[in-house]
Amino acid sequence: MARFDEPSGRSLRVDLERRTPSTARMYDVFLGGKDNFGVDRDAARRVERAAPSIVRAARDNRAFMRRTVTWGVRDVGIDQVVDIGTGIPTSPNVCEVARRHNRDAVVVGVDHDPEVLAHDRARLGGLPILDGDVRNPGLVLADLEQTGLIAWDRPVLLLLVAVLHFVSDEEDPAGIVAAFVERLAPGSAVVISHVSSTGADPRAVAEIEDVYAKSTSPGSRFRTHEQIERLFGGLRMVSPGVVQVQHWPVERGPVTALPVLGGVGRVTGTL
């Protein structure tokens, strides 16, 4: 059953003792937010010691999100956006960017973190936020179907921004993407960004993976450029393909020592 503003079925007790670093709150630290705790800041500082460019990489990733949403809504004319893994809201967020270019755009968020859901529902002014986990695309799609908000016979802009590196190999990230793509109409677009080990300092990668192994997403891992390309499966890549996020769609300043790769793929064929 689709869930918008009701409490999470798991529990409203959200790590009350704050002993475990939250990946969402750590990202909030990197973006300069205030919705985090000492345990998150300690973990974030450990990541930053290993990779001092992490703060700029996180902010460049957010800029990539804004550009891809602008491309999809303004340039391509897609008026339906599904944001998987919304994270703690920052501004400008996906909804703000989409509705800047089309005030009637339908935007639906999905996240499985109870704390993220609480923040989103409090701040995003009635924007539909579903309680769902990217690792279970079938259930997410069923809940989206039940809302009736998405017209599946028309193109959708699906965002998987900085989400799939929290999915382990055993959980089959490529299969997850394929399950979503199978439901999308031709003309839809899938946006993916992902931290990459290609070109990164192996010691930094190992240290960061160790930090996240003790977080709320213990399956987190870096992937190579080739592995990230394979996540797009049979999608038709939009130029320039999978590149560092600072270089999509054109070069915009220097890349970071901690690579974040991103790309956009289009759904082809017929329903």
Side-chain angles (χ1 to χ4, degrees), residues 61-191:
N61 180 68
R62 290 292 296 180
F64 168 77
M65 176 277 290
R66 294 193 295 269
R67 291 196 301 275
T68 55
V69 173
T70 296
W71 168 86
V73 176
R74 184 192 67 188
D75 300 343
V76 179
I78 299 174
D79 63 358
Q80 306 182 102
V81 183
V82 176
D83 181 17
I84 308 289
T86 59
I88 294 172
T90 59
S91 187
N93 54 58
V94 169
C95 186
E96 289 171 338
V97 176
R99 291 183 179 166
R100 181 184 303 159
H101 304 296
N102 181 347
R103 64 182 182 180
D104 297 321
V106 174
V107 181
V108 182
V110 179
D111 207 294
H112 77 291
D113 184 324
E115 192 166 7
V116 168
L117 293 169
H119 281 293
D120 283 351
R121 289 165 178 163
R123 296 184 190 176
L124 295 182
L127 176 73
I129 306 292
L130 276 66
D131 178 355
D133 192 329
V134 69
R135 297 171 182 83
N136 193 337
L139 184 57
V140 171
L141 287 165
D143 278 359
L144 285 167
E145 183 86 37
Q146 187 176 13
T147 70
L149 293 170
I150 300 298
W152 295 102
D153 59 339
R154 296 194 295 107
V156 173
L157 181 66
L158 177 71
L159 305 181
L160 293 162
V161 176
V163 169
L164 294 174
H165 45 237
F166 297 126
V167 176
S168 69
D169 289 342
E170 292 72 22
E171 292 164 325
D172 189 15
I176 288 170
V177 177
F180 283 111
V181 169
E182 186 177 5
R183 190 67 184 86
L184 298 178
S188 295
V190 178
V191 178

